[in-house]
Amino acid sequence: YVSFNAGGTGSLSLTNTGQFAGYASASVNKLGGGMRFLSVAIPAAAVIDCAYLILTANGDADLDTVNSKLRIEDITDSSTFSTYANYSARTKLSTTVSWNAIVHWTQDTEYTSPDVTTLIQTIVDRLNWVSGGDISIFWDDHDGNSVGTFRVAYSWNGSATKCPVLYIEYHTI
């Protein structure tokens, strides 16, 4: 997990207790970060039936002007986040999934992202995909489309039981 502020002075945390997306203030805007899911056990060339993130709110949020995107790293086996340069240099697929006008959040409540099947399918369709590879998904508003608010979900560092979950259903042919 990594949390990154693309606005203001820019900052990176590898140990933050929350995964942020949105806008906190004029000097802390364009919030977002990456989530790395380890040992994703999907056979090569499997057909993804559905895929989404389950995020648990790490705080209340009652403004619905958070507009964000979900992206996936353009690689078959994602490495550990280590530095700002390591995070920012990662290539992401050009395909994104919009997650806009995010509903109000209540502390410790689970929320489901929009479907990310196309993102996951692109990775497992690669010739060099091997079951058990690591996948990094980015949730951010680095485009600056949120207005005066943000969402924060638990990260692994915030709670090993409330951290993001990548849910995937698939079948093989």
Side-chain angles (χ1 to χ4, degrees), residues 21 55 57 59-68 99-106 109-114 139 149-152:
L55 303 176
D60 295 333
D62 61 2
L63 297 175
D64 54 6
T65 51
V66 174
N67 299 307
S68 61
W99 191 1
N100 293 329
I102 299 174
V103 300
H104 300 186
W105 277 22
T106 303
T109 301
E110 289 183 349
Y111 296 90
T112 302
S113 78
W139 176 43
T149 190
F150 59 95
R151 297 294 181 267
V152 58

Side-chain angles (χ1 to χ4, degrees), residues 48 51 72 93 95-97 115-123:
I48 307 301
I72 194 165
L93 289 177
T95 303
T96 63
V97 173
D115 189 273
V116 295
T117 297
T118 57
L119 302 179
I120 303 299
Q121 189 70 65
T122 300
I123 300 301

Side-chain angles (χ1 to χ4, degrees), residues 10-157:
S11 62
L12 176 76
S13 172
L14 299 172
T15 59
N16 204 319
T17 59
Q19 163 69 51
F20 294 82
Y23 177 100
S25 70
S27 64
V28 184
N29 57 22
K30 299 182 181 180
L31 297 171
M35 298 163 273
R36 183 169 166 249
F37 298 93
L38 306 178
S39 303
V40 179
I42 300 173
V47 176
I48 307 301
D49 298 314
C50 74
Y52 52 86
L53 294 169
I54 302 169
L55 303 176
T56 303
N58 188 353
D60 295 333
D62 61 2
L63 297 175
D64 54 6
T65 51
V66 174
N67 299 307
S68 61
K69 289 186 179 171
L70 295 163
R71 311 167 200 262
I72 194 165
E73 187 173 11
D74 190 9
I75 195 166
T76 55
D77 194 17
S78 183
S79 62
T80 302
F81 296 108
S82 59
T83 64
Y84 167 76
N86 174 268
Y87 170 83
S88 62
R90 294 188 184 221
T91 303
K92 298 165 190 81
L93 289 177
S94 59
T95 303
T96 63
V97 173
S98 295
W99 191 1
N100 293 329
I102 299 174
V103 300
H104 300 186
W105 277 22
T106 303
Q107 175 77 34
D108 294 328
T109 301
E110 289 183 349
Y111 296 90
T112 302
S113 78
D115 189 273
V116 295
T117 297
T118 57
L119 302 179
I120 303 299
Q121 189 70 65
T122 300
I123 300 301
V124 302
D125 279 350
R126 292 176 175 215
L127 293 177
N128 59 348
W129 169 258
V130 176
S131 181
D134 299 340
I135 294 176
S136 287
I137 296 179
F138 301 86
W139 176 43
D140 65 68
D141 179 24
H142 292 335
D143 297 329
N145 294 319
S146 297
V147 181
T149 190
F150 59 95
R151 297 294 181 267
V152 58
Y154 283 99
S155 70
W156 175 263
N157 294 325

